[in-house]
Amino acid sequence: MKVNGAIPGVSRPQFVLLLVGFAFFLIGPLFERFSWVSLLGWLFLAMSWGTSVEIDGKKLRLYYLFGKKAVEVPIEEVWEVKAMNRLTLSSLAREFPDFFLLVLSVVCFSLFVVLTHPSRDYSGYTALFLVSASYLLLLSIPFGWDEIGMLAFAIPLILSLLLWLIVPGAVDPIMVFIGEIAVFFTYASYYSRDYVVLKTVGEKYLITLNSKVPVDVFLRTLGGRVDVQTP
Amino acid sequence: MFRLPEGMERVWLMRAKGMREVEIAETLGVSRQAVNKALKDARVKLFEAFFGLAEVFSWDVVRVNAEKGFMVARGECGDKNVRVYAFYLPGKGIRAFFNAEFPEYVLQYAVAIGLIRKEKRAELVKALES
């Protein structure tokens, strides 16, 4: 049974594809001859995106790679479920530190490029730095403190001002504006979804649900599929 | 009242206290497969019990941890929103507490299963809410 509106988030194979995608995406534009490599990065990023979630008997299938591959999670091995948005002190950074480190490395790498190549040709990295730094803040803030998440809008302005003071040539106002728009969409998308974390022995899975799918319905579906005989 | 069968509860509690399946099997003199099956069944029963409880009282489930045996939910009491923390306590069954008003025995139990280190309410709330 397909769970409409549910999309798998971070799982191990998806994370590997994401890692490769970001590596190509970040490094490609630095080499003029091999700039096509960044297109390969987009391809890997697209492959890493989850497509759908299916509950089949006692198994949960999380599809990715354009719906061609699935991670199977035996429901009876799930020992914890969390509706992240409803917990006051939970954050995605705390729950998925490897994903947090990936975003952090994107921030650091793009900042490194901005500082070492301060020209208009590399202003895409300025936008990437501003957006990824804002996203890093969203990942780190507990869901219960969503008002502080509004600070994400100030991050591009503050960081671009600091960058401008250090390396004036690295800041292109248009890229800052584009970065601000990207942060707006990132913020809106981040807080309009519900996040459910499933833990099994040694593995963690993230499932995002759009606002049309109440998280309770999903959790009950998950619980109700387990065949239980009461004592 | 919901209770895990005695043998299953013993295995589950040993796991909740941090023992590995092999250690439990050696202690009880049973096979590892038997321990694994008992734990799987216990998890499923606890999930069902917590979700059932939430459904009966129309609480929104926030978190269910079947390994340590607790649930965090949110509900309404009159016109107020309340936080509900429910624990499966061996020998007692499920007990629910509103707005972190935990009695001492819950804090002691939380320390015993390694959920918190010191018997402090704030520490327990932090562990449950993160």
Side-chain angles (χ1 to χ4, degrees), chain B residues 80-118:
Chain B
K80 283 184 180 175
N81 289 323
V82 288
R83 209 66 171 169
V84 187
Y85 301 101
F87 297 86
Y88 178 78
L89 301 168
K92 291 188 172 114
I94 295 177
R95 295 281 186 278
F97 307 92
F98 294 93
N99 295 332
E101 289 167 4
F102 305 120
E104 283 301 313
Y105 67 86
V106 169
L107 296 173
Q108 287 164 3
Y109 174 70
V111 172
I113 59 168
L115 203 54
I116 49 171
R117 288 184 183 170
K118 290 177 184 173

Short mmCIF file of all heavy atoms in Angstrom, two decimals, chain B residues 80-118:
data_model
loop_
_atom_site.label_atom_id
_atom_site.label_comp_id
_atom_site.label_asym_id
_atom_site.label_seq_id
_atom_site.Cartn_x
_atom_site.Cartn_y
_atom_site.Cartn_z
N LYS B 80 -6.97 22.93 28.18
CA LYS B 80 -5.51 23.06 28.21
C LYS B 80 -4.82 21.94 27.43
O LYS B 80 -5.29 20.80 27.45
CB LYS B 80 -5.00 23.03 29.66
CG LYS B 80 -5.21 24.31 30.43
CD LYS B 80 -4.60 24.18 31.80
CE LYS B 80 -4.81 25.46 32.62
NZ LYS B 80 -4.32 25.29 33.99
N ASN B 81 -3.72 22.31 26.76
CA ASN B 81 -2.90 21.28 26.12
C ASN B 81 -1.98 20.68 27.16
O ASN B 81 -1.38 21.40 27.95
CB ASN B 81 -2.06 21.90 25.00
CG ASN B 81 -2.92 22.29 23.84
OD1 ASN B 81 -3.88 21.60 23.50
ND2 ASN B 81 -2.61 23.41 23.21
N VAL B 82 -1.90 19.39 27.17
CA VAL B 82 -1.02 18.73 28.15
C VAL B 82 -0.03 17.80 27.45
O VAL B 82 -0.30 17.30 26.35
CB VAL B 82 -1.81 17.91 29.20
CG1 VAL B 82 -2.54 18.80 30.17
CG2 VAL B 82 -2.74 16.93 28.53
N ARG B 83 1.09 17.64 28.08
CA ARG B 83 2.09 16.70 27.61
C ARG B 83 1.90 15.41 28.39
O ARG B 83 1.76 15.46 29.63
CB ARG B 83 3.48 17.30 27.91
CG ARG B 83 4.56 16.89 26.96
CD ARG B 83 4.32 17.40 25.59
NE ARG B 83 5.48 17.17 24.73
CZ ARG B 83 5.46 17.33 23.44
NH1 ARG B 83 4.36 17.70 22.81
NH2 ARG B 83 6.54 17.12 22.73
N VAL B 84 1.87 14.31 27.70
CA VAL B 84 1.67 13.04 28.38
C VAL B 84 2.92 12.17 28.22
O VAL B 84 3.42 12.02 27.11
CB VAL B 84 0.46 12.27 27.79
CG1 VAL B 84 0.15 11.03 28.62
CG2 VAL B 84 -0.77 13.16 27.70
N TYR B 85 3.41 11.67 29.33
CA TYR B 85 4.55 10.76 29.30
C TYR B 85 4.09 9.43 29.88
O TYR B 85 3.67 9.38 31.04
CB TYR B 85 5.72 11.31 30.12
CG TYR B 85 6.20 12.66 29.64
CD1 TYR B 85 5.83 13.82 30.31
CD2 TYR B 85 7.01 12.77 28.51
CE1 TYR B 85 6.25 15.07 29.86
CE2 TYR B 85 7.43 14.02 28.06
CZ TYR B 85 7.05 15.16 28.74
OH TYR B 85 7.46 16.39 28.30
N ALA B 86 4.14 8.37 29.07
CA ALA B 86 3.70 7.06 29.55
C ALA B 86 4.88 6.09 29.58
O ALA B 86 5.73 6.12 28.68
CB ALA B 86 2.59 6.53 28.65
N PHE B 87 4.93 5.29 30.62
CA PHE B 87 6.02 4.32 30.76
C PHE B 87 5.44 2.93 30.96
O PHE B 87 4.42 2.78 31.66
CB PHE B 87 6.89 4.65 31.99
CG PHE B 87 7.59 5.97 31.90
CD1 PHE B 87 6.95 7.13 32.29
CD2 PHE B 87 8.89 6.04 31.42
CE1 PHE B 87 7.59 8.36 32.21
CE2 PHE B 87 9.54 7.27 31.34
CZ PHE B 87 8.89 8.43 31.73
N TYR B 88 6.11 1.95 30.39
CA TYR B 88 5.77 0.58 30.73
C TYR B 88 6.66 0.19 31.90
O TYR B 88 7.88 0.12 31.77
CB TYR B 88 6.01 -0.38 29.55
CG TYR B 88 5.69 -1.80 29.95
CD1 TYR B 88 4.38 -2.24 30.02
CD2 TYR B 88 6.70 -2.68 30.32
CE1 TYR B 88 4.07 -3.52 30.44
CE2 TYR B 88 6.40 -3.97 30.74
CZ TYR B 88 5.08 -4.38 30.80
OH TYR B 88 4.78 -5.64 31.24
N LEU B 89 6.05 -0.03 33.04
CA LEU B 89 6.83 -0.36 34.24
C LEU B 89 6.66 -1.85 34.53
O LEU B 89 5.52 -2.31 34.72
CB LEU B 89 6.34 0.48 35.43
CG LEU B 89 6.43 1.99 35.23
CD1 LEU B 89 5.67 2.73 36.32
CD2 LEU B 89 7.88 2.44 35.21
N PRO B 90 7.75 -2.61 34.53
CA PRO B 90 7.65 -4.05 34.77
C PRO B 90 6.90 -4.35 36.06
O PRO B 90 7.16 -3.72 37.10
CB PRO B 90 9.12 -4.49 34.88
CG PRO B 90 9.87 -3.46 34.12
CD PRO B 90 9.14 -2.18 34.33
N GLY B 91 5.97 -5.27 35.95
CA GLY B 91 5.17 -5.65 37.13
C GLY B 91 3.98 -4.74 37.36
O GLY B 91 3.08 -5.08 38.13
N LYS B 92 3.97 -3.58 36.73
CA LYS B 92 2.87 -2.64 36.96
C LYS B 92 2.05 -2.37 35.70
O LYS B 92 0.91 -1.93 35.79
CB LYS B 92 3.43 -1.30 37.47
CG LYS B 92 4.02 -1.37 38.87
CD LYS B 92 4.37 0.03 39.35
CE LYS B 92 4.75 0.03 40.82
NZ LYS B 92 6.11 0.36 41.08
N GLY B 93 2.66 -2.53 34.56
CA GLY B 93 1.98 -2.19 33.31
C GLY B 93 2.28 -0.75 32.90
O GLY B 93 3.30 -0.18 33.32
N ILE B 94 1.38 -0.17 32.12
CA ILE B 94 1.63 1.19 31.63
C ILE B 94 1.08 2.23 32.62
O ILE B 94 -0.05 2.10 33.10
CB ILE B 94 1.01 1.39 30.23
CG1 ILE B 94 1.72 0.48 29.22
CG2 ILE B 94 1.11 2.85 29.79
CD1 ILE B 94 1.16 0.53 27.82
N ARG B 95 1.91 3.23 32.90
CA ARG B 95 1.49 4.35 33.74
C ARG B 95 1.74 5.64 32.96
O ARG B 95 2.80 5.80 32.37
CB ARG B 95 2.30 4.41 35.04
CG ARG B 95 2.11 3.22 35.96
CD ARG B 95 0.78 3.36 36.74
NE ARG B 95 0.65 2.31 37.73
CZ ARG B 95 0.21 1.08 37.51
NH1 ARG B 95 -0.13 0.73 36.28
NH2 ARG B 95 0.10 0.20 38.48
N ALA B 96 0.74 6.52 32.98
CA ALA B 96 0.88 7.79 32.25
C ALA B 96 0.91 8.96 33.22
O ALA B 96 0.23 8.94 34.26
CB ALA B 96 -0.27 7.96 31.26
N PHE B 97 1.72 9.96 32.89
CA PHE B 97 1.88 11.13 33.76
C PHE B 97 1.73 12.39 32.92
O PHE B 97 2.20 12.45 31.78
CB PHE B 97 3.25 11.12 34.45
CG PHE B 97 3.52 9.83 35.16
CD1 PHE B 97 4.18 8.78 34.53
CD2 PHE B 97 3.06 9.64 36.45
CE1 PHE B 97 4.39 7.58 35.17
CE2 PHE B 97 3.26 8.44 37.11
CZ PHE B 97 3.93 7.40 36.47
N PHE B 98 1.09 13.40 33.50
CA PHE B 98 0.84 14.63 32.76
C PHE B 98 1.85 15.71 33.15
O PHE B 98 2.18 15.87 34.33
CB PHE B 98 -0.58 15.15 33.04
CG PHE B 98 -1.64 14.23 32.52
CD1 PHE B 98 -2.19 13.24 33.31
CD2 PHE B 98 -2.05 14.32 31.19
CE1 PHE B 98 -3.14 12.38 32.82
CE2 PHE B 98 -3.01 13.46 30.70
CZ PHE B 98 -3.56 12.48 31.50
N ASN B 99 2.30 16.41 32.12
CA ASN B 99 3.19 17.57 32.33
C ASN B 99 4.36 17.31 33.28
O ASN B 99 4.65 18.10 34.17
CB ASN B 99 2.38 18.77 32.82
CG ASN B 99 1.40 19.24 31.76
OD1 ASN B 99 1.65 19.06 30.55
ND2 ASN B 99 0.29 19.81 32.18
N ALA B 100 5.01 16.21 33.06
CA ALA B 100 6.26 15.87 33.78
C ALA B 100 6.12 15.79 35.29
O ALA B 100 7.08 16.00 36.02
CB ALA B 100 7.36 16.88 33.41
N GLU B 101 4.94 15.44 35.75
CA GLU B 101 4.79 15.25 37.20
C GLU B 101 5.11 13.79 37.54
O GLU B 101 4.22 12.98 37.82
CB GLU B 101 3.37 15.63 37.62
CG GLU B 101 3.13 17.14 37.54
CD GLU B 101 1.67 17.51 37.64
OE1 GLU B 101 0.83 16.62 37.85
OE2 GLU B 101 1.36 18.70 37.48
N PHE B 102 6.40 13.50 37.50
CA PHE B 102 6.82 12.12 37.72
C PHE B 102 7.00 11.82 39.20
O PHE B 102 7.68 12.59 39.91
CB PHE B 102 8.17 11.85 37.03
CG PHE B 102 8.19 12.19 35.57
CD1 PHE B 102 9.08 13.14 35.08
CD2 PHE B 102 7.34 11.56 34.69
CE1 PHE B 102 9.11 13.45 33.74
CE2 PHE B 102 7.36 11.88 33.34
CZ PHE B 102 8.25 12.83 32.87
N PRO B 103 6.48 10.69 39.67
CA PRO B 103 6.80 10.30 41.05
C PRO B 103 8.24 9.78 41.12
O PRO B 103 8.85 9.48 40.08
CB PRO B 103 5.79 9.19 41.35
CG PRO B 103 5.33 8.70 40.04
CD PRO B 103 5.53 9.78 39.02
N GLU B 104 8.74 9.64 42.32
CA GLU B 104 10.13 9.21 42.52
C GLU B 104 10.43 7.87 41.86
O GLU B 104 11.51 7.69 41.28
CB GLU B 104 10.45 9.12 44.02
CG GLU B 104 10.67 10.46 44.70
CD GLU B 104 11.81 11.26 44.08
OE1 GLU B 104 12.89 10.68 43.86
OE2 GLU B 104 11.61 12.46 43.79
N TYR B 105 9.47 6.92 41.94
CA TYR B 105 9.77 5.58 41.42
C TYR B 105 9.98 5.59 39.90
O TYR B 105 10.71 4.76 39.38
CB TYR B 105 8.70 4.56 41.85
CG TYR B 105 7.32 4.74 41.26
CD1 TYR B 105 7.00 4.18 40.03
CD2 TYR B 105 6.35 5.44 41.94
CE1 TYR B 105 5.73 4.32 39.49
CE2 TYR B 105 5.07 5.58 41.42
CZ TYR B 105 4.76 5.03 40.18
OH TYR B 105 3.52 5.18 39.65
N VAL B 106 9.38 6.55 39.22
CA VAL B 106 9.60 6.65 37.77
C VAL B 106 11.02 7.15 37.49
O VAL B 106 11.70 6.64 36.60
CB VAL B 106 8.55 7.57 37.11
CG1 VAL B 106 8.92 7.89 35.67
CG2 VAL B 106 7.19 6.92 37.15
N LEU B 107 11.43 8.13 38.29
CA LEU B 107 12.80 8.65 38.12
C LEU B 107 13.82 7.55 38.42
O LEU B 107 14.82 7.38 37.70
CB LEU B 107 13.04 9.85 39.04
CG LEU B 107 12.20 11.10 38.77
CD1 LEU B 107 12.41 12.14 39.85
CD2 LEU B 107 12.53 11.69 37.41
N GLN B 108 13.55 6.77 39.47
CA GLN B 108 14.46 5.66 39.82
C GLN B 108 14.50 4.62 38.69
O GLN B 108 15.57 4.13 38.34
CB GLN B 108 13.99 4.99 41.12
CG GLN B 108 14.27 5.83 42.36
CD GLN B 108 13.48 5.36 43.57
OE1 GLN B 108 12.75 4.38 43.52
NE2 GLN B 108 13.60 6.09 44.66
N TYR B 109 13.33 4.35 38.13
CA TYR B 109 13.26 3.38 37.04
C TYR B 109 14.01 3.90 35.81
O TYR B 109 14.74 3.15 35.15
CB TYR B 109 11.79 3.10 36.71
CG TYR B 109 11.62 2.22 35.50
CD1 TYR B 109 11.96 0.87 35.54
CD2 TYR B 109 11.15 2.74 34.30
CE1 TYR B 109 11.82 0.07 34.43
CE2 TYR B 109 11.00 1.94 33.19
CZ TYR B 109 11.34 0.61 33.24
OH TYR B 109 11.23 -0.18 32.13
N ALA B 110 13.84 5.19 35.53
CA ALA B 110 14.53 5.79 34.37
C ALA B 110 16.05 5.70 34.52
O ALA B 110 16.77 5.48 33.55
CB ALA B 110 14.09 7.25 34.21
N VAL B 111 16.52 5.84 35.75
CA VAL B 111 17.97 5.68 36.00
C VAL B 111 18.37 4.22 35.80
O VAL B 111 19.38 3.91 35.18
CB VAL B 111 18.34 6.17 37.43
CG1 VAL B 111 19.79 5.83 37.75
CG2 VAL B 111 18.12 7.68 37.56
N ALA B 112 17.52 3.32 36.30
CA ALA B 112 17.83 1.88 36.23
C ALA B 112 17.96 1.40 34.78
O ALA B 112 18.80 0.55 34.48
CB ALA B 112 16.75 1.09 36.96
N ILE B 113 17.15 1.95 33.88
CA ILE B 113 17.23 1.49 32.48
C ILE B 113 18.16 2.37 31.64
O ILE B 113 18.24 2.22 30.43
CB ILE B 113 15.83 1.41 31.81
CG1 ILE B 113 15.12 2.77 31.82
CG2 ILE B 113 14.98 0.34 32.47
CD1 ILE B 113 13.88 2.81 30.94
N GLY B 114 18.85 3.28 32.31
CA GLY B 114 19.86 4.09 31.61
C GLY B 114 19.31 5.22 30.77
O GLY B 114 20.01 5.74 29.89
N LEU B 115 18.08 5.60 31.04
CA LEU B 115 17.49 6.72 30.29
C LEU B 115 18.09 8.05 30.75
O LEU B 115 18.31 8.96 29.96
CB LEU B 115 15.97 6.71 30.50
CG LEU B 115 15.07 7.37 29.47
CD1 LEU B 115 15.33 6.83 28.09
CD2 LEU B 115 13.60 7.13 29.85
N ILE B 116 18.33 8.13 32.04
CA ILE B 116 19.00 9.30 32.63
C ILE B 116 20.06 8.83 33.64
O ILE B 116 20.04 7.66 34.04
CB ILE B 116 17.99 10.26 33.33
CG1 ILE B 116 17.07 9.47 34.29
CG2 ILE B 116 17.20 11.05 32.34
CD1 ILE B 116 16.20 10.35 35.16
N ARG B 117 20.94 9.74 34.02
CA ARG B 117 21.99 9.36 34.98
C ARG B 117 21.61 9.71 36.43
O ARG B 117 21.96 9.00 37.35
CB ARG B 117 23.30 10.04 34.61
CG ARG B 117 23.91 9.44 33.37
CD ARG B 117 25.23 10.04 33.07
NE ARG B 117 25.77 9.50 31.84
CZ ARG B 117 26.83 9.99 31.24
NH1 ARG B 117 27.45 11.03 31.74
NH2 ARG B 117 27.27 9.44 30.12
N LYS B 118 20.95 10.87 36.56
CA LYS B 118 20.56 11.30 37.91
C LYS B 118 19.04 11.41 37.99
O LYS B 118 18.38 11.70 36.99
CB LYS B 118 21.19 12.67 38.22
CG LYS B 118 22.69 12.59 38.41
CD LYS B 118 23.27 13.97 38.64
CE LYS B 118 24.78 13.89 38.73
NZ LYS B 118 25.41 15.22 38.78
#
